[in-house]
Amino acid sequence: MKRAATGAAAGGGRAAPDKRAAAALPLSDNFQAGDADLEVHSSDGIAFRVHKANLLASSKTFADMFDATSEAVEDGELPTIELTESSATLERILPYCYPRPVAPWELDLPSGDLELFGALDKYEIWRGIEAVQAAMVH
């Protein structure tokens, strides 16, 4: 049986749906790495195949989530984390977990960027927070 790592320890996630439901989720266009070792699910049902090491290195909150939930999964299955953020939010914050250039942030306040900044703050993704702060200065 597939067991899911959840973000409950950090208040950011919930138990994964059963294996049949998880397998049916569409993949993010930008996060579907063939060598991924973790699958993150958005609140609107999109799967993000990511590298756990990148999330661990860029976010203390993700690191704490993994420490609290290091459960086993079946062979060939990726551990999953269910997050409360939408796919649109995850598409914007996950690039800040990877060591590659990210386009400068263009603020769109007061609409959606407050939610994005909240997610960056919640997961303590400092590189993204710094990008937002730099955009506020310009």
Side-chain angles (χ1 to χ4, degrees):
M1 168 179 248
K2 182 176 182 178
R3 301 194 65 186
T6 66
R14 61 184 184 277
D18 67 51
K19 186 161 117 179
R20 292 177 310 275
L25 292 180
L27 287 175
S28 158
D29 290 335
N30 297 313
F31 291 92
Q32 47 181 282
D35 61 345
D37 56 359
L38 178 68
E39 194 167 276
V40 173
H41 296 172
S42 67
S43 62
D44 54 346
I46 303 297
F48 294 76
R49 291 189 179 158
V50 297
H51 302 95
K52 185 176 178 180
N54 290 81
L55 273 61
L56 289 170
S58 62
S59 167
K60 181 179 179 337
T61 304
F62 279 128
D64 290 345
M65 288 167 64
F66 297 134
D67 285 346
T69 59
S70 56
E71 300 176 16
V73 295
E74 289 182 16
D75 287 340
E77 302 235 355
L78 294 178
T80 62
I81 295 179
E82 297 287 327
L83 299 181
T84 58
E85 288 71 30
S86 70
S87 58
T89 296
L90 294 177
E91 289 284 357
R92 298 254 335 252
I93 69 170
L94 287 174
Y96 291 100
C97 296
Y98 283 81
R100 58 182 175 226
V102 179
W105 200 294
E106 293 183 22
L107 288 178
D108 183 18
L109 298 175
S111 64
D113 282 346
L114 290 178
E115 178 185 344
L116 294 168
F117 186 72
L120 289 166
D121 184 56
K122 174 181 174 180
Y123 295 108
E124 300 180 61
I125 302 173
W126 299 113
R127 185 171 169 231
I129 292 170
E130 290 169 354
V132 171
Q133 290 171 337
M136 293 173 99
V137 172
H138 293 102

PDB file of all heavy atoms in Angstrom, residues 5-6 15 20 22 40 67 71 79-80 94 100 109 111 128 130-131 134-135:
ATOM      1  N   ALA A   5       3.771  10.906   2.573  1.00  0.00           N
ATOM      2  CA  ALA A   5       4.300  11.882   3.505  1.00  0.00           C
ATOM      3  C   ALA A   5       3.358  13.063   3.442  1.00  0.00           C
ATOM      4  O   ALA A   5       2.937  13.466   2.375  1.00  0.00           O
ATOM      5  CB  ALA A   5       5.707  12.300   3.072  1.00  0.00           C
ATOM      6  N   THR A   6       3.014  13.604   4.584  1.00  0.00           N
ATOM      7  CA  THR A   6       2.103  14.745   4.581  1.00  0.00           C
ATOM      8  C   THR A   6       2.774  15.947   5.203  1.00  0.00           C
ATOM      9  O   THR A   6       3.757  15.818   5.914  1.00  0.00           O
ATOM     10  CB  THR A   6       0.810  14.444   5.357  1.00  0.00           C
ATOM     11  OG1 THR A   6       1.150  14.280   6.730  1.00  0.00           O
ATOM     12  CG2 THR A   6       0.092  13.236   4.826  1.00  0.00           C
ATOM     13  N   ALA A  15      -3.201  14.082   4.184  1.00  0.00           N
ATOM     14  CA  ALA A  15      -2.949  12.730   3.702  1.00  0.00           C
ATOM     15  C   ALA A  15      -3.219  12.634   2.205  1.00  0.00           C
ATOM     16  O   ALA A  15      -4.121  13.277   1.689  1.00  0.00           O
ATOM     17  CB  ALA A  15      -3.835  11.737   4.444  1.00  0.00           C
ATOM     18  N   ARG A  20      -5.108   4.832  -6.539  1.00  0.00           N
ATOM     19  CA  ARG A  20      -5.802   5.011  -7.822  1.00  0.00           C
ATOM     20  C   ARG A  20      -6.008   6.492  -8.132  1.00  0.00           C
ATOM     21  O   ARG A  20      -5.810   6.931  -9.251  1.00  0.00           O
ATOM     22  CB  ARG A  20      -7.144   4.279  -7.796  1.00  0.00           C
ATOM     23  CG  ARG A  20      -7.005   2.780  -7.756  1.00  0.00           C
ATOM     24  CD  ARG A  20      -8.361   2.116  -7.662  1.00  0.00           C
ATOM     25  NE  ARG A  20      -9.211   2.648  -6.605  1.00  0.00           N
ATOM     26  CZ  ARG A  20      -9.171   2.255  -5.325  1.00  0.00           C
ATOM     27  NH1 ARG A  20      -8.300   1.330  -4.957  1.00  0.00           N
ATOM     28  NH2 ARG A  20      -9.980   2.775  -4.424  1.00  0.00           N
ATOM     29  N   ALA A  22      -4.242   9.071  -6.924  1.00  0.00           N
ATOM     30  CA  ALA A  22      -2.958   9.738  -7.116  1.00  0.00           C
ATOM     31  C   ALA A  22      -2.411   9.458  -8.515  1.00  0.00           C
ATOM     32  O   ALA A  22      -1.835  10.328  -9.140  1.00  0.00           O
ATOM     33  CB  ALA A  22      -1.953   9.284  -6.057  1.00  0.00           C
ATOM     34  N   VAL A  40       4.606  16.122  -5.400  1.00  0.00           N
ATOM     35  CA  VAL A  40       3.845  17.096  -4.627  1.00  0.00           C
ATOM     36  C   VAL A  40       2.520  17.289  -5.338  1.00  0.00           C
ATOM     37  O   VAL A  40       2.489  17.483  -6.554  1.00  0.00           O
ATOM     38  CB  VAL A  40       4.620  18.436  -4.530  1.00  0.00           C
ATOM     39  CG1 VAL A  40       3.774  19.510  -3.876  1.00  0.00           C
ATOM     40  CG2 VAL A  40       5.933  18.240  -3.772  1.00  0.00           C
ATOM     41  N   ASP A  67      11.174  15.241   7.913  1.00  0.00           N
ATOM     42  CA  ASP A  67      11.632  14.634   9.159  1.00  0.00           C
ATOM     43  C   ASP A  67      10.479  14.009   9.926  1.00  0.00           C
ATOM     44  O   ASP A  67      10.609  12.946  10.509  1.00  0.00           O
ATOM     45  CB  ASP A  67      12.314  15.679  10.055  1.00  0.00           C
ATOM     46  CG  ASP A  67      13.703  16.043   9.570  1.00  0.00           C
ATOM     47  OD1 ASP A  67      14.259  15.327   8.713  1.00  0.00           O
ATOM     48  OD2 ASP A  67      14.233  17.066  10.048  1.00  0.00           O
ATOM     49  N   GLU A  71       7.863   8.016   5.876  1.00  0.00           N
ATOM     50  CA  GLU A  71       7.161   6.746   5.761  1.00  0.00           C
ATOM     51  C   GLU A  71       7.584   6.010   4.492  1.00  0.00           C
ATOM     52  O   GLU A  71       7.931   6.616   3.500  1.00  0.00           O
ATOM     53  CB  GLU A  71       5.654   6.987   5.751  1.00  0.00           C
ATOM     54  CG  GLU A  71       5.164   7.672   7.012  1.00  0.00           C
ATOM     55  CD  GLU A  71       3.687   8.007   6.966  1.00  0.00           C
ATOM     56  OE1 GLU A  71       2.971   7.463   6.110  1.00  0.00           O
ATOM     57  OE2 GLU A  71       3.267   8.816   7.791  1.00  0.00           O
ATOM     58  N   PRO A  79       7.115   8.893  -3.041  1.00  0.00           N
ATOM     59  CA  PRO A  79       6.398   9.431  -1.883  1.00  0.00           C
ATOM     60  C   PRO A  79       5.647  10.683  -2.326  1.00  0.00           C
ATOM     61  O   PRO A  79       6.081  11.380  -3.245  1.00  0.00           O
ATOM     62  CB  PRO A  79       7.503   9.782  -0.893  1.00  0.00           C
ATOM     63  CG  PRO A  79       8.795   9.465  -1.530  1.00  0.00           C
ATOM     64  CD  PRO A  79       8.549   8.945  -2.904  1.00  0.00           C
ATOM     65  N   THR A  80       4.521  10.953  -1.691  1.00  0.00           N
ATOM     66  CA  THR A  80       3.727  12.114  -2.075  1.00  0.00           C
ATOM     67  C   THR A  80       3.465  13.015  -0.883  1.00  0.00           C
ATOM     68  O   THR A  80       3.414  12.551   0.257  1.00  0.00           O
ATOM     69  CB  THR A  80       2.369  11.715  -2.683  1.00  0.00           C
ATOM     70  OG1 THR A  80       1.622  11.002  -1.712  1.00  0.00           O
ATOM     71  CG2 THR A  80       2.548  10.884  -3.928  1.00  0.00           C
ATOM     72  N   LEU A  94       7.895  26.938  -6.724  1.00  0.00           N
ATOM     73  CA  LEU A  94       8.852  25.825  -6.814  1.00  0.00           C
ATOM     74  C   LEU A  94      10.137  26.156  -7.568  1.00  0.00           C
ATOM     75  O   LEU A  94      11.201  25.637  -7.208  1.00  0.00           O
ATOM     76  CB  LEU A  94       8.185  24.576  -7.385  1.00  0.00           C
ATOM     77  CG  LEU A  94       7.215  23.867  -6.434  1.00  0.00           C
ATOM     78  CD1 LEU A  94       6.505  22.720  -7.151  1.00  0.00           C
ATOM     79  CD2 LEU A  94       7.927  23.376  -5.186  1.00  0.00           C
ATOM     80  N   ARG A 100      18.837  27.429 -10.357  1.00  0.00           N
ATOM     81  CA  ARG A 100      18.903  27.916 -11.730  1.00  0.00           C
ATOM     82  C   ARG A 100      18.270  29.308 -11.757  1.00  0.00           C
ATOM     83  O   ARG A 100      17.519  29.679 -10.857  1.00  0.00           O
ATOM     84  CB  ARG A 100      18.199  26.973 -12.688  1.00  0.00           C
ATOM     85  CG  ARG A 100      16.746  26.735 -12.373  1.00  0.00           C
ATOM     86  CD  ARG A 100      16.119  25.746 -13.357  1.00  0.00           C
ATOM     87  NE  ARG A 100      14.768  25.439 -12.962  1.00  0.00           N
ATOM     88  CZ  ARG A 100      14.255  24.232 -12.921  1.00  0.00           C
ATOM     89  NH1 ARG A 100      14.990  23.212 -13.281  1.00  0.00           N
ATOM     90  NH2 ARG A 100      13.013  24.035 -12.546  1.00  0.00           N
ATOM     91  N   LEU A 109       0.009  43.301  -7.368  1.00  0.00           N
ATOM     92  CA  LEU A 109      -0.738  43.522  -6.129  1.00  0.00           C
ATOM     93  C   LEU A 109      -1.955  44.357  -6.419  1.00  0.00           C
ATOM     94  O   LEU A 109      -1.916  45.212  -7.300  1.00  0.00           O
ATOM     95  CB  LEU A 109       0.158  44.230  -5.097  1.00  0.00           C
ATOM     96  CG  LEU A 109       1.400  43.442  -4.672  1.00  0.00           C
ATOM     97  CD1 LEU A 109       2.250  44.287  -3.758  1.00  0.00           C
ATOM     98  CD2 LEU A 109       1.020  42.152  -3.973  1.00  0.00           C
ATOM     99  N   SER A 111      -3.758  41.567  -6.244  1.00  0.00           N
ATOM    100  CA  SER A 111      -4.401  40.308  -6.655  1.00  0.00           C
ATOM    101  C   SER A 111      -3.671  39.084  -6.117  1.00  0.00           C
ATOM    102  O   SER A 111      -3.547  38.902  -4.930  1.00  0.00           O
ATOM    103  CB  SER A 111      -4.523  40.264  -8.169  1.00  0.00           C
ATOM    104  OG  SER A 111      -3.247  40.256  -8.747  1.00  0.00           O
ATOM    105  N   GLY A 128      12.903  33.002  -2.877  1.00  0.00           N
ATOM    106  CA  GLY A 128      11.696  33.586  -3.438  1.00  0.00           C
ATOM    107  C   GLY A 128      11.260  34.832  -2.691  1.00  0.00           C
ATOM    108  O   GLY A 128      10.826  35.813  -3.303  1.00  0.00           O
ATOM    109  N   GLU A 130      13.204  36.894  -1.150  1.00  0.00           N
ATOM    110  CA  GLU A 130      14.132  37.952  -1.566  1.00  0.00           C
ATOM    111  C   GLU A 130      13.765  38.494  -2.944  1.00  0.00           C
ATOM    112  O   GLU A 130      13.883  39.694  -3.198  1.00  0.00           O
ATOM    113  CB  GLU A 130      15.571  37.429  -1.551  1.00  0.00           C
ATOM    114  CG  GLU A 130      16.078  37.183  -0.133  1.00  0.00           C
ATOM    115  CD  GLU A 130      17.397  36.428  -0.092  1.00  0.00           C
ATOM    116  OE1 GLU A 130      17.888  35.979  -1.161  1.00  0.00           O
ATOM    117  OE2 GLU A 130      17.925  36.259   1.022  1.00  0.00           O
ATOM    118  N   ALA A 131      13.289  37.632  -3.840  1.00  0.00           N
ATOM    119  CA  ALA A 131      12.885  38.091  -5.171  1.00  0.00           C
ATOM    120  C   ALA A 131      11.690  39.014  -5.086  1.00  0.00           C
ATOM    121  O   ALA A 131      11.626  40.032  -5.786  1.00  0.00           O
ATOM    122  CB  ALA A 131      12.571  36.877  -6.065  1.00  0.00           C
ATOM    123  N   ALA A 134      12.869  42.350  -3.683  1.00  0.00           N
ATOM    124  CA  ALA A 134      13.579  43.117  -4.710  1.00  0.00           C
ATOM    125  C   ALA A 134      12.580  43.750  -5.682  1.00  0.00           C
ATOM    126  O   ALA A 134      12.763  44.899  -6.107  1.00  0.00           O
ATOM    127  CB  ALA A 134      14.553  42.218  -5.466  1.00  0.00           C
ATOM    128  N   ALA A 135      11.511  43.037  -6.010  1.00  0.00           N
ATOM    129  CA  ALA A 135      10.497  43.573  -6.916  1.00  0.00           C
ATOM    130  C   ALA A 135       9.765  44.748  -6.275  1.00  0.00           C
ATOM    131  O   ALA A 135       9.339  45.677  -6.958  1.00  0.00           O
ATOM    132  CB  ALA A 135       9.510  42.475  -7.316  1.00  0.00           C
TER     133      ALA A 135
END
